[in-house]
Amino acid sequence: MNHQSSSRPAAPAGCRVAGHGLVECRASALGDLRSRAAPAGAPAIPNRFLRHADEHTVVGLHAVLAALAAGPSQPDLSRHAVVAAPCQSGRLAAARTLAQLPAGGAVTVSPHVVPQCSLHSVAGAVSVALGMHGPHLGVGGGPDALAEGLLAATTLLLHGDPECTAAWLVATDWDEEPALDPVGNPQGDPVCRALAVQLVAAGDATDDGTPSHGPGLVVQPSARQESRPRLHDPAGGIVAFARALAICHAGTTLAPWAVDCPWGVIRLVARPPSHGVREAA
Amino acid sequence: MSGLVRRRCDEREPVVITGLAAVSPLGSTVDTILDRLFAGVSGVREIEIDPRARTDARFAAPVTEIPRPAGIEPEEFARLDRLEQLCLSPVAGALADAGIDRSPAGPRIGLVLGLGAEQLKVWELDFLAAGTAVFESRRDPTIVHRLAARTGITGPAVTAAAACASSGYALALARAWIDAGWVDACVAGGCDILSPTSIAAFYNLRALSRRADDPTKASRPFDRDRDGFVMGEGGACFVLERRSAAVARGARIRGELAGVGMSSDGVHMVTPSTDPAQAARAIAAALADAGVSPGDLDYVNAHAAGTPVGDVAEAGAIRLACGEAADAIPVSSTKSMTGHLVSGAAAFEALACLGAIERQAVPPTVNLDEPDPACPLLHVPHRARPHRVAVAASNSFGFGGSNLCLVLRAA
């Protein structure tokens, strides 16, 4: 049969970026960040909540708090969803666990390693710390995490829990994947980075998915099978994405930012006042 | 409004299952697995764990045979680590079962795999084989991308992790993509493997059964004497597509993924909430999504892993979501036979629901000698029960308070 004829049109899907926060922290300062209270203007988090958390979770939760602190008001978080897209989260805990295993055996394996240091853990921690009852999900885990996260967050927001009012994408990464010493400590003092982006449905979006105001994300799948090269630069991706978002929110310069995937494109867009759609920097 | 719009159940074209494959402690063909599941056979046994782990855990439900997909040379398959073998086998098997065109002119196919702790397992397998990958500054593509490349899938490929609900979320994402028109078909499911550190971590968390007598008696969901779960490995994968596309190409339709409900407790990183409200909301949302009422449900495959807290919480959620109808809905936990497949559990248990629909019977909860009065449900102890099953639900709950319910319906 001709599958092309049975394909549904690949309509672009758009949502609005309601806010974002970026947190960068050197490995040597993660201990301090782990015990730091939420910033003014953000909801409080339970004391010592992050004491067993993975490094990605520490920066990821603080990025969400930073975004909330920067917002004009406290949103009702109870119907928010979370998609976290860490790149190789849990590696330090895994290395420490494995380094101890031959000498110490099973008793040295922390009971926290699975619940707190796995791919789902960043999203779970944000959901628990902030009382979010929308779905939460970890995605990616590797070099394509940012693209997978953008796609999954858009999917959950627009097609997941019908009561969901917003979806957070929390992308995390080391600036450069650190080499670890034999007991699992990072060599040098690398930066762990997280970008939290609050997405809301754009009920007034145009046919190309662009929201009527503010920056937005548009997912545009290909209409047919294609095979295009992947982009592997999640650290640069987070940094470039955060910079583009900041420029967009300031409403000044516009320049392109997109993730080109083999199956389509995820694009940051913004509609300047009284002009047509333009891509955002 | 442009783009993706949530469709009401009566507006949405059904998304159906046209391919399935599984690898499990009960076997590695769908018919064998279902035969054993409905015969009440346990896959739990005493296992040998890497001596370096020196753990007191003795029982688990391992996969004993991983079918090599057609077109993969034995040497090539042997070079893959066990997790990638366990994932590749059902992905390729589901595609073959569906008979879907994978040529460049064919449909756009996506891939979503529920893999909760992929890298931890991959690093561990490498380390136990004298590798040093976990210490190195490297970023390798994840399994889902390697499998997409190997199987010729060019659509979106995503790894989904929601702990023990991971493969259910994979099915949820896949259905959403099809519904949105982003792909024409999608392979979705998930798998997991037994590993020394994961067994040790769950054991140290006091989540595993400490029984040391008869392995086949250790997994006892809903039983008064349950004391934790037994770990298993394996999982299942499905090919999903729109009903019209499946009909047009003459595919065998195995059932419909009719409803999905998702929520989060937002309470604790490990233990489920004692308030069943959010878990019940996921169940109610799945029923609403499928356009059915609790009275239409013919079977619930419970998450029930056999933990003292979790089984009670789930019973409360089922009763809250279904009300008085819960008195007449048979509920069982197939983890009593397979152990807990963790990332692969939700997909495997969706397969059990399809089996219930196909065989018009409800699989049992084995070892349910004395139901816990704190879990007041219509249990199916010891033996499968013949029963009309047109609509079945499968619950999955995970760390971080992740709640998911899938509703499957007869084709």
Side-chain angles (χ1 to χ4, degrees):
Chain A
M1 75 170 272
N2 180 355
H3 287 279
Q4 305 300 332
S5 62
S6 73
S7 292
R8 285 188 34 183
C15 51
R16 192 165 63 79
V17 177
H20 72 281
L22 177 70
V23 165
E24 296 177 308
C25 185
R26 290 210 172 269
S28 57
L30 278 165
D32 173 59
L33 187 63
R34 190 181 294 277
S35 55
R36 192 180 301 169
I45 56 172
N47 283 339
R48 305 181 69 214
F49 179 76
L50 293 168
R51 65 190 182 283
H52 298 299
D54 182 64
E55 295 77 13
H56 290 251
T57 301
V58 173
V59 292
L61 177 56
H62 276 281
V64 175
L65 294 172
L68 289 167
S73 60
Q74 284 295 321
D76 174 7
L77 301 173
S78 64
R79 289 289 178 261
H80 286 203
V82 192
V83 171
C87 180
Q88 302 205 150
S89 58
R91 192 165 74 92
L92 273 62
R96 289 169 188 145
T97 300
L98 293 170
Q100 294 177 69
L101 191 71
V107 294
T108 63
V109 177
S110 165
H112 300 290
V113 71
V114 175
Q116 301 269 9
C117 302
S118 298
L119 182 51
H120 68 267
S121 303
V122 180
V126 172
S127 169
V128 169
L130 298 172
M132 296 176 176
H133 298 304
H136 72 268
L137 181 65
V139 300
D144 294 296
L146 178 58
E148 293 182 48
L150 289 166
L151 179 66
T154 310
T155 306
L156 275 193
L157 173 67
L158 299 175
H159 224 69
D161 179 358
E163 296 178 25
C164 183
T165 55
W168 289 86
L169 168 69
V170 185
T172 65
D173 201 357
W174 293 97
D175 58 346
E176 188 175 329
E177 199 64 43
L180 307 181
D181 69 16
V183 294
N185 294 317
Q187 296 179 351
D189 196 10
V191 172
C192 198
R193 175 184 294 119
L195 172 66
V197 182
Q198 185 190 356
L199 304 172
V200 297
D204 53 357
T206 54
D207 287 344
D208 64 4
T210 306
S212 65
H213 64 283
L217 276 175
V218 173
V219 176
Q220 176 64 71
S222 303
R224 57 187 176 80
Q225 281 202 76
E226 291 185 53
S227 189
R228 298 188 292 188
R230 292 179 186 281
L231 294 184
H232 289 298
D233 187 12
I238 289 177
V239 172
F241 187 26
R243 189 182 305 129
L245 282 168
I247 293 169
C248 256
H249 276 295
T252 53
T253 314
L254 296 174
W257 186 91
V259 180
D260 218 350
C261 304
W263 50 267
V265 179
I266 303 171
R267 210 182 297 276
L268 181 64
V269 296
R271 182 192 299 278
S274 69
H275 292 291
V277 177
R278 292 164 64 184
E279 293 175 346
Chain B
M1 175 177 171
S2 76
L4 199 55
V5 182
R6 291 189 195 104
R7 293 180 175 83
R8 287 160 31 124
C9 58
D10 53 352
E11 298 171 337
R12 191 173 50 219
E13 181 173 357
V15 171
V16 297
I17 296 160
T18 56
L20 52 93
V23 183
S24 84
L26 298 181
S28 297
T29 69
V30 169
D31 286 342
T32 303
I33 290 167
L34 293 180
D35 285 348
R36 291 176 178 165
L37 211 52
F38 283 82
V41 174
S42 174
V44 181
R45 63 190 65 185
E46 185 160 1
I47 62 163
E48 286 185 15
I49 299 173
D50 189 297
R52 282 169 286 188
R54 298 199 300 280
T55 174
D56 292 331
R58 289 285 175 269
F59 299 158
V63 167
T64 55
E65 180 201 1
I66 307 175
R68 177 172 53 85
I72 309 283
E73 294 301 318
E75 299 78 15
E76 188 182 358
F77 194 60
R79 276 197 297 272
L80 305 177
D81 68 40
R82 183 171 175 80
L83 181 58
E84 190 160 348
Q85 288 179 341
L86 266 173
C87 292
L88 173 60
S89 185
V91 166
L95 283 165
D97 186 51
I100 199 162
D101 179 6
R102 279 183 278 163
S103 73
R108 298 163 302 162
I109 303 175
L111 175 63
V112 200
L113 280 184
L115 285 170
E118 170 185 344
Q119 281 144 329
L120 180 61
K121 304 285 173 66
V122 170
W123 288 322
E124 182 179 2
L125 290 167
D126 173 76
F127 179 84
L128 294 175
T132 57
V134 71
F135 299 101
E136 296 171 13
S137 174
R138 55 191 271 188
R139 287 174 175 151
D140 297 325
T142 51
I143 285 176
V144 75
H145 293 288
R146 295 203 295 271
L147 294 193
R150 189 180 285 279
T151 55
I153 290 174
T154 58
V158 166
T159 305
C164 305
S166 295
S167 53
Y169 271 89
L171 287 161
L173 287 177
R175 194 183 76 139
W177 291 351
I178 293 168
D179 203 26
W182 292 357
V183 296
D184 302 311
C186 197
V187 185
C191 278
D192 219 323
I193 57 166
L194 295 166
S195 81
T197 58
S198 60
I199 290 174
F202 282 111
Y203 190 85
N204 294 345
L205 198 55
R206 305 197 71 81
L208 298 188
S209 171
R210 306 257 162 165
R211 284 174 173 263
D213 43 6
D214 180 352
T216 66
K217 304 290 186 191
S219 183
R220 314 179 67 82
F222 296 129
D223 189 73
R224 191 194 283 267
D225 287 338
R226 69 191 182 281
D227 69 335
F229 66 84
V230 174
M231 294 198 75
E233 65 178 356
C237 287
F238 300 80
V239 172
L240 306 178
E241 55 188 309
R242 286 178 296 120
R243 183 194 293 276
S244 61
V247 169
R249 69 181 186 88
R252 177 186 177 190
I253 298 176
R254 317 292 288 259
E256 177 191 353
L257 179 53
V260 175
M262 301 171 278
S263 71
S264 299
D265 289 346
V267 171
H268 197 272
M269 288 297 286
V270 178
T271 56
S273 174
T274 52
D275 177 358
Q278 291 303 324
R281 192 168 74 84
I283 298 170
L287 296 176
D289 191 34
V292 299
S293 66
D296 298 321
L297 261 184
D298 301 309
Y299 168 55
V300 173
N301 186 296
H303 175 77
T307 62
V309 174
D311 292 10
V312 173
E314 180 173 12
I318 292 170
R319 295 211 70 89
L320 181 61
C322 297
E324 290 181 359
D327 292 334
I329 305 170
V331 177
S332 69
S333 171
T334 45
K335 288 187 180 76
S336 59
M337 295 170 276
T338 63
H340 192 341
L341 306 188
V342 194
S343 292
F348 183 84
E349 288 155 20
L351 172 63
C353 289
L354 288 178
I357 291 168
E358 180 185 296
R359 299 191 175 202
Q360 292 295 288
V362 174
T365 304
V366 302
N367 302 322
L368 183 49
D369 297 333
E370 189 176 354
D372 184 345
C375 305
L377 299 166
L378 181 57
H379 296 292
V380 186
H382 304 305
R383 275 178 288 281
R385 177 189 300 174
H387 188 70
R388 175 192 176 276
V389 183
V391 180
S394 177
N395 292 336
S396 297
F397 307 118
F399 281 148
S402 188
N403 307 309
L404 177 123
C405 178
L406 304 174
V407 173
L408 295 111
R409 183 157 45 204

